[in-house]
Amino acid sequence: MENENNIYKEKSRSAFDKIASNYSESHDGKFVEPMYEEVIKRILELKPRNILDVGCGPGSVLVHLKNKNIGLHGLDISEKMIEEAEKNLGQDVDL
């Protein structure tokens, strides 16, 4: 089973690496975009000191939380997505 899980992880990593540079225009990016406003609203209501966005992709949610006095952290299985997040977020976010 563990070997099978590794295969799925690698397929996922590979798929997201391929669409990373154009994620916002991809089917996945278009699907999740309408959710951002509500997610961000709920996060800000909690007044967190830190946020860890697991599966942060290109930083689409984190970019809306910049300059809100919140420690921002992102994690993604795709190295290419992290590279895009670095471009979108700069050095102030721990990726």
Side-chain angles (χ1 to χ4, degrees):
M1 185 70 159
E2 185 176 324
N3 192 26
E4 189 174 307
N5 287 338
N6 288 338
I7 290 169
Y8 292 127
K9 286 180 187 176
E10 191 51 46
K11 284 184 177 185
S12 180
R13 181 186 343 267
S14 177
F16 282 107
D17 277 350
K18 287 178 185 172
I19 64 169
S21 65
N22 199 30
Y23 179 78
S24 296
E25 301 304 316
S26 74
H27 178 270
D28 290 337
K30 295 283 186 194
F31 177 77
V32 297
E33 184 178 17
M35 299 176 216
Y36 294 160
E37 184 177 339
E38 182 66 21
V39 169
I40 292 159
K41 179 183 131 203
R42 289 181 185 202
I43 290 169
L44 293 174
E45 286 174 356
L46 294 171
K47 299 179 180 161
R49 286 192 260 167
N50 289 285
I51 290 289
L52 172 59
D53 185 353
V54 178
C56 69
S60 303
V61 170
L62 294 174
V63 75
H64 293 284
L65 298 170
K66 280 187 75 166
N67 304 317
K68 303 282 187 202
N69 202 27
I70 302 171
L72 302 177
H73 312 272
L75 180 69
D76 202 281
I77 194 169
S78 165
E79 290 180 34
K80 298 290 185 190
M81 285 290 195
I82 292 295
E83 289 173 10
E84 292 300 314
E86 287 172 341
K87 290 178 194 174
N88 294 329
L89 296 163
Q91 300 298 317
D92 297 334
V93 178
D94 179 32
L95 300 166

